[in-house]
Amino acid sequence: MSTVTIYHNPKCGTSRNTLAMIRNSGVEPEVIEYLKTPPSRETLVSLIAATGQPVINAVRSKETLFTELNLGAPGVTDDQLIDAMLAHPILLNRPIVVTPQGTRLCRPSEAVLDILPQPQQGAFTKEDGEVVIDAKGQRA
């Protein structure tokens, strides 16, 4: 069993880059495609709390449903946001990565570097061509 878990959407470039950086550290994570296997309420609440960020940061505000459901309105509670993410997993901001060093919403993807249990094993360039790790395994 891996000590690293990623809540992943393979259609998301940030999520793909994050997964690739995890693998570039020599770790094969547990990959949870949360659109196919959404987290339970307990798991979702625990993940968000572990990031240390407000619940609203875990919601994809750019998603059309966010506006349709009026989730940005004054007075919307954390419980209402969590209910929306449970009912519509596409609203969950991604990727969320859990390691022994912590839990992060990895936006930008290189935020994962702060919590990986092992250093990068080689150079890494994002899908858009941005160099993140140089040939010496150091942040660019």
Side-chain angles (χ1 to χ4, degrees):
M1 184 170 151
S2 180
T3 61
V4 176
T5 301
I6 180 172
Y7 289 82
H8 178 61
N9 180 349
K11 293 182 179 179
C12 171
T14 301
S15 198
R16 289 191 305 270
N17 283 322
T18 302
L19 178 57
M21 279 186 263
I22 294 168
R23 289 178 170 152
N24 194 47
S25 76
V27 172
E28 183 55 40
E30 176 183 4
V31 177
I32 298 173
E33 289 189 31
Y34 66 89
L35 293 176
K36 293 180 182 178
T37 310
S40 67
R41 173 177 280 279
E42 180 182 352
T43 299
L44 182 58
V45 168
S46 176
L47 284 170
I48 295 168
T51 69
Q53 295 186 22
V55 173
I56 190 66
N57 289 7
V59 184
R60 282 191 56 79
S61 60
K62 294 179 183 177
E63 200 59 51
T64 304
L65 265 174
F66 181 86
T67 303
E68 289 174 2
L69 297 173
N70 207 22
L71 296 175
V76 172
T77 66
D78 288 351
D79 281 337
Q80 289 171 312
L81 293 172
I82 289 168
D83 288 343
M85 287 184 281
L86 292 170
H88 308 282
I90 193 68
L91 288 170
L92 181 60
N93 213 348
R94 74 276 182 161
I96 296 176
V97 178
V98 180
T99 78
Q101 282 71 33
T103 301
R104 293 278 189 291
L105 171 58
C106 294
R107 297 193 78 78
S109 55
E110 51 270 27
V112 76
L113 298 172
D114 297 331
I115 60 167
L116 288 176
Q118 297 176 179
Q120 296 291 286
Q121 302 298 303
F124 182 82
T125 302
K126 289 183 179 183
E127 292 178 0
D128 67 2
E130 179 185 348
V131 176
V132 178
I133 304 295
D134 66 19
K136 297 178 184 176
Q138 304 298 312
R139 285 189 188 200

mmCIF file with all atom_site columns, all heavy atoms in Angstrom, residues 63-76:
data_model
loop_
_atom_site.group_PDB
_atom_site.id
_atom_site.type_symbol
_atom_site.label_atom_id
_atom_site.label_alt_id
_atom_site.label_comp_id
_atom_site.label_asym_id
_atom_site.label_entity_id
_atom_site.label_seq_id
_atom_site.pdbx_PDB_ins_code
_atom_site.Cartn_x
_atom_site.Cartn_y
_atom_site.Cartn_z
_atom_site.occupancy
_atom_site.B_iso_or_equiv
_atom_site.pdbx_formal_charge
_atom_site.auth_seq_id
_atom_site.auth_comp_id
_atom_site.auth_asym_id
_atom_site.auth_atom_id
_atom_site.pdbx_PDB_model_num
ATOM 1   N N   . GLU A 1 63 ? -16.172 26.253 -12.185 1.00 0.00 ? 63 GLU A N   1
ATOM 2   C CA  . GLU A 1 63 ? -17.111 25.271 -12.721 1.00 0.00 ? 63 GLU A CA  1
ATOM 3   C C   . GLU A 1 63 ? -18.485 25.932 -12.887 1.00 0.00 ? 63 GLU A C   1
ATOM 4   O O   . GLU A 1 63 ? -18.944 26.667 -12.018 1.00 0.00 ? 63 GLU A O   1
ATOM 5   C CB  . GLU A 1 63 ? -17.184 24.084 -11.751 1.00 0.00 ? 63 GLU A CB  1
ATOM 6   C CG  . GLU A 1 63 ? -17.705 22.810 -12.311 1.00 0.00 ? 63 GLU A CG  1
ATOM 7   C CD  . GLU A 1 63 ? -16.917 22.271 -13.487 1.00 0.00 ? 63 GLU A CD  1
ATOM 8   O OE1 . GLU A 1 63 ? -15.687 22.153 -13.406 1.00 0.00 ? 63 GLU A OE1 1
ATOM 9   O OE2 . GLU A 1 63 ? -17.565 21.956 -14.494 1.00 0.00 ? 63 GLU A OE2 1
ATOM 10  N N   . THR A 1 64 ? -19.150 25.683 -14.003 1.00 0.00 ? 64 THR A N   1
ATOM 11  C CA  . THR A 1 64 ? -20.459 26.274 -14.285 1.00 0.00 ? 64 THR A CA  1
ATOM 12  C C   . THR A 1 64 ? -21.454 26.012 -13.160 1.00 0.00 ? 64 THR A C   1
ATOM 13  O O   . THR A 1 64 ? -22.234 26.884 -12.783 1.00 0.00 ? 64 THR A O   1
ATOM 14  C CB  . THR A 1 64 ? -21.012 25.725 -15.616 1.00 0.00 ? 64 THR A CB  1
ATOM 15  O OG1 . THR A 1 64 ? -20.054 25.977 -16.641 1.00 0.00 ? 64 THR A OG1 1
ATOM 16  C CG2 . THR A 1 64 ? -22.326 26.357 -15.991 1.00 0.00 ? 64 THR A CG2 1
ATOM 17  N N   . LEU A 1 65 ? -21.416 24.813 -12.613 1.00 0.00 ? 65 LEU A N   1
ATOM 18  C CA  . LEU A 1 65 ? -22.334 24.451 -11.523 1.00 0.00 ? 65 LEU A CA  1
ATOM 19  C C   . LEU A 1 65 ? -22.179 25.359 -10.307 1.00 0.00 ? 65 LEU A C   1
ATOM 20  O O   . LEU A 1 65 ? -23.148 25.599 -9.593  1.00 0.00 ? 65 LEU A O   1
ATOM 21  C CB  . LEU A 1 65 ? -22.071 23.000 -11.073 1.00 0.00 ? 65 LEU A CB  1
ATOM 22  C CG  . LEU A 1 65 ? -22.930 21.920 -11.683 1.00 0.00 ? 65 LEU A CG  1
ATOM 23  C CD1 . LEU A 1 65 ? -22.445 20.551 -11.236 1.00 0.00 ? 65 LEU A CD1 1
ATOM 24  C CD2 . LEU A 1 65 ? -24.391 22.108 -11.385 1.00 0.00 ? 65 LEU A CD2 1
ATOM 25  N N   . PHE A 1 66 ? -20.981 25.839 -10.059 1.00 0.00 ? 66 PHE A N   1
ATOM 26  C CA  . PHE A 1 66 ? -20.744 26.738 -8.925  1.00 0.00 ? 66 PHE A CA  1
ATOM 27  C C   . PHE A 1 66 ? -21.665 27.954 -9.036  1.00 0.00 ? 66 PHE A C   1
ATOM 28  O O   . PHE A 1 66 ? -22.330 28.335 -8.068  1.00 0.00 ? 66 PHE A O   1
ATOM 29  C CB  . PHE A 1 66 ? -19.277 27.167 -8.890  1.00 0.00 ? 66 PHE A CB  1
ATOM 30  C CG  . PHE A 1 66 ? -18.928 28.069 -7.743  1.00 0.00 ? 66 PHE A CG  1
ATOM 31  C CD1 . PHE A 1 66 ? -18.578 27.536 -6.513  1.00 0.00 ? 66 PHE A CD1 1
ATOM 32  C CD2 . PHE A 1 66 ? -18.942 29.451 -7.891  1.00 0.00 ? 66 PHE A CD2 1
ATOM 33  C CE1 . PHE A 1 66 ? -18.256 28.359 -5.438  1.00 0.00 ? 66 PHE A CE1 1
ATOM 34  C CE2 . PHE A 1 66 ? -18.622 30.279 -6.830  1.00 0.00 ? 66 PHE A CE2 1
ATOM 35  C CZ  . PHE A 1 66 ? -18.283 29.733 -5.601  1.00 0.00 ? 66 PHE A CZ  1
ATOM 36  N N   . THR A 1 67 ? -21.731 28.511 -10.225 1.00 0.00 ? 67 THR A N   1
ATOM 37  C CA  . THR A 1 67 ? -22.584 29.681 -10.461 1.00 0.00 ? 67 THR A CA  1
ATOM 38  C C   . THR A 1 67 ? -24.058 29.283 -10.478 1.00 0.00 ? 67 THR A C   1
ATOM 39  O O   . THR A 1 67 ? -24.895 29.944 -9.856  1.00 0.00 ? 67 THR A O   1
ATOM 40  C CB  . THR A 1 67 ? -22.205 30.358 -11.795 1.00 0.00 ? 67 THR A CB  1
ATOM 41  O OG1 . THR A 1 67 ? -20.811 30.693 -11.741 1.00 0.00 ? 67 THR A OG1 1
ATOM 42  C CG2 . THR A 1 67 ? -23.025 31.603 -12.044 1.00 0.00 ? 67 THR A CG2 1
ATOM 43  N N   . GLU A 1 68 ? -24.363 28.183 -11.158 1.00 0.00 ? 68 GLU A N   1
ATOM 44  C CA  . GLU A 1 68 ? -25.754 27.729 -11.244 1.00 0.00 ? 68 GLU A CA  1
ATOM 45  C C   . GLU A 1 68 ? -26.354 27.458 -9.870  1.00 0.00 ? 68 GLU A C   1
ATOM 46  O O   . GLU A 1 68 ? -27.532 27.726 -9.636  1.00 0.00 ? 68 GLU A O   1
ATOM 47  C CB  . GLU A 1 68 ? -25.851 26.474 -12.113 1.00 0.00 ? 68 GLU A CB  1
ATOM 48  C CG  . GLU A 1 68 ? -25.615 26.732 -13.583 1.00 0.00 ? 68 GLU A CG  1
ATOM 49  C CD  . GLU A 1 68 ? -25.582 25.459 -14.416 1.00 0.00 ? 68 GLU A CD  1
ATOM 50  O OE1 . GLU A 1 68 ? -25.774 24.348 -13.858 1.00 0.00 ? 68 GLU A OE1 1
ATOM 51  O OE2 . GLU A 1 68 ? -25.348 25.575 -15.639 1.00 0.00 ? 68 GLU A OE2 1
ATOM 52  N N   . LEU A 1 69 ? -25.536 26.909 -8.970  1.00 0.00 ? 69 LEU A N   1
ATOM 53  C CA  . LEU A 1 69 ? -26.013 26.588 -7.615  1.00 0.00 ? 69 LEU A CA  1
ATOM 54  C C   . LEU A 1 69 ? -25.882 27.768 -6.656  1.00 0.00 ? 69 LEU A C   1
ATOM 55  O O   . LEU A 1 69 ? -26.202 27.639 -5.485  1.00 0.00 ? 69 LEU A O   1
ATOM 56  C CB  . LEU A 1 69 ? -25.261 25.368 -7.070  1.00 0.00 ? 69 LEU A CB  1
ATOM 57  C CG  . LEU A 1 69 ? -25.464 24.063 -7.843  1.00 0.00 ? 69 LEU A CG  1
ATOM 58  C CD1 . LEU A 1 69 ? -24.534 22.974 -7.317  1.00 0.00 ? 69 LEU A CD1 1
ATOM 59  C CD2 . LEU A 1 69 ? -26.921 23.615 -7.769  1.00 0.00 ? 69 LEU A CD2 1
ATOM 60  N N   . ASN A 1 70 ? -25.368 28.893 -7.177  1.00 0.00 ? 70 ASN A N   1
ATOM 61  C CA  . ASN A 1 70 ? -25.223 30.122 -6.384  1.00 0.00 ? 70 ASN A CA  1
ATOM 62  C C   . ASN A 1 70 ? -24.347 29.904 -5.142  1.00 0.00 ? 70 ASN A C   1
ATOM 63  O O   . ASN A 1 70 ? -24.623 30.441 -4.063  1.00 0.00 ? 70 ASN A O   1
ATOM 64  C CB  . ASN A 1 70 ? -26.604 30.668 -6.005  1.00 0.00 ? 70 ASN A CB  1
ATOM 65  C CG  . ASN A 1 70 ? -26.584 32.159 -5.798  1.00 0.00 ? 70 ASN A CG  1
ATOM 66  O OD1 . ASN A 1 70 ? -25.707 32.865 -6.302  1.00 0.00 ? 70 ASN A OD1 1
ATOM 67  N ND2 . ASN A 1 70 ? -27.551 32.659 -5.052  1.00 0.00 ? 70 ASN A ND2 1
ATOM 68  N N   . LEU A 1 71 ? -23.282 29.122 -5.311  1.00 0.00 ? 71 LEU A N   1
ATOM 69  C CA  . LEU A 1 71 ? -22.434 28.766 -4.168  1.00 0.00 ? 71 LEU A CA  1
ATOM 70  C C   . LEU A 1 71 ? -21.543 29.908 -3.692  1.00 0.00 ? 71 LEU A C   1
ATOM 71  O O   . LEU A 1 71 ? -20.997 29.846 -2.601  1.00 0.00 ? 71 LEU A O   1
ATOM 72  C CB  . LEU A 1 71 ? -21.590 27.535 -4.504  1.00 0.00 ? 71 LEU A CB  1
ATOM 73  C CG  . LEU A 1 71 ? -22.402 26.258 -4.749  1.00 0.00 ? 71 LEU A CG  1
ATOM 74  C CD1 . LEU A 1 71 ? -21.484 25.133 -5.201  1.00 0.00 ? 71 LEU A CD1 1
ATOM 75  C CD2 . LEU A 1 71 ? -23.192 25.858 -3.509  1.00 0.00 ? 71 LEU A CD2 1
ATOM 76  N N   . GLY A 1 72 ? -21.408 30.941 -4.494  1.00 0.00 ? 72 GLY A N   1
ATOM 77  C CA  . GLY A 1 72 ? -20.606 32.090 -4.087  1.00 0.00 ? 72 GLY A CA  1
ATOM 78  C C   . GLY A 1 72 ? -21.420 33.172 -3.387  1.00 0.00 ? 72 GLY A C   1
ATOM 79  O O   . GLY A 1 72 ? -20.877 34.217 -3.028  1.00 0.00 ? 72 GLY A O   1
ATOM 80  N N   . ALA A 1 73 ? -22.695 32.905 -3.179  1.00 0.00 ? 73 ALA A N   1
ATOM 81  C CA  . ALA A 1 73 ? -23.569 33.911 -2.564  1.00 0.00 ? 73 ALA A CA  1
ATOM 82  C C   . ALA A 1 73 ? -23.213 34.113 -1.096  1.00 0.00 ? 73 ALA A C   1
ATOM 83  O O   . ALA A 1 73 ? -22.742 33.193 -0.421  1.00 0.00 ? 73 ALA A O   1
ATOM 84  C CB  . ALA A 1 73 ? -25.031 33.465 -2.681  1.00 0.00 ? 73 ALA A CB  1
ATOM 85  N N   . PRO A 1 74 ? -23.439 35.331 -0.602  1.00 0.00 ? 74 PRO A N   1
ATOM 86  C CA  . PRO A 1 74 ? -23.214 35.576 0.831   1.00 0.00 ? 74 PRO A CA  1
ATOM 87  C C   . PRO A 1 74 ? -24.085 34.634 1.665   1.00 0.00 ? 74 PRO A C   1
ATOM 88  O O   . PRO A 1 74 ? -25.228 34.353 1.311   1.00 0.00 ? 74 PRO A O   1
ATOM 89  C CB  . PRO A 1 74 ? -23.677 37.030 1.019   1.00 0.00 ? 74 PRO A CB  1
ATOM 90  C CG  . PRO A 1 74 ? -23.668 37.631 -0.348  1.00 0.00 ? 74 PRO A CG  1
ATOM 91  C CD  . PRO A 1 74 ? -23.924 36.517 -1.307  1.00 0.00 ? 74 PRO A CD  1
ATOM 92  N N   . GLY A 1 75 ? -23.496 34.129 2.736   1.00 0.00 ? 75 GLY A N   1
ATOM 93  C CA  . GLY A 1 75 ? -24.248 33.276 3.652   1.00 0.00 ? 75 GLY A CA  1
ATOM 94  C C   . GLY A 1 75 ? -24.211 31.792 3.346   1.00 0.00 ? 75 GLY A C   1
ATOM 95  O O   . GLY A 1 75 ? -24.747 30.996 4.118   1.00 0.00 ? 75 GLY A O   1
ATOM 96  N N   . VAL A 1 76 ? -23.614 31.395 2.214   1.00 0.00 ? 76 VAL A N   1
ATOM 97  C CA  . VAL A 1 76 ? -23.504 29.961 1.924   1.00 0.00 ? 76 VAL A CA  1
ATOM 98  C C   . VAL A 1 76 ? -22.565 29.351 2.963   1.00 0.00 ? 76 VAL A C   1
ATOM 99  O O   . VAL A 1 76 ? -21.455 29.837 3.181   1.00 0.00 ? 76 VAL A O   1
ATOM 100 C CB  . VAL A 1 76 ? -22.987 29.706 0.493   1.00 0.00 ? 76 VAL A CB  1
ATOM 101 C CG1 . VAL A 1 76 ? -22.701 28.222 0.271   1.00 0.00 ? 76 VAL A CG1 1
ATOM 102 C CG2 . VAL A 1 76 ? -23.992 30.210 -0.532  1.00 0.00 ? 76 VAL A CG2 1
#
